[in-house]
Amino acid sequence: MEEVYMQKREEMEKVRKEREATIKAKKEAKEEAEARRKIARGNMMRKTRHGQPVMKYRIEHLLESIKKSAGNDGSRTA
């Protein structure tokens, strides 16, 4: 009886550890993405001394989004 109990307990512990690992990985990815968005948002909100938006960061953002879409679309159009 004890062997069955211990085996079942070990399996439960293994499943719990796997679940915790996936939750931790998702949490880290979410925090990293949030940090990137916070930096990008800060750059997008920057203004010149005349109140105009700084175009450097907006153009970089557009270029990155175009590259991502071109990379995704490139495999479909081939």
Side-chain angles (χ1 to χ4, degrees), residues 6-67:
M6 292 299 285
Q7 188 178 24
K8 188 174 183 179
R9 185 177 172 106
E10 287 175 6
E11 289 176 13
M12 298 275 282
E13 191 71 21
K14 184 179 177 183
V15 169
R16 184 182 64 82
K17 285 183 180 180
E18 289 175 0
R19 192 178 319 124
E20 287 178 355
T22 56
I23 290 171
K24 185 178 179 182
K26 286 181 182 179
K27 184 177 180 180
E28 289 175 358
K30 185 177 181 179
E31 288 175 353
E32 183 180 320
E34 188 175 328
R36 273 188 277 120
R37 281 194 301 271
K38 187 175 182 181
I39 291 170
R41 182 175 176 264
N43 284 337
M44 293 293 272
M45 301 287 264
R46 289 186 68 182
K47 306 284 184 188
T48 63
R49 59 185 168 164
H50 297 292
Q52 299 298 315
V54 178
M55 285 291 128
K56 174 183 175 182
Y57 302 107
R58 293 177 184 266
I59 292 172
E60 286 177 0
H61 177 72
L62 287 171
L63 181 62
E64 288 174 11
S65 62
I66 291 170
K67 284 182 180 179

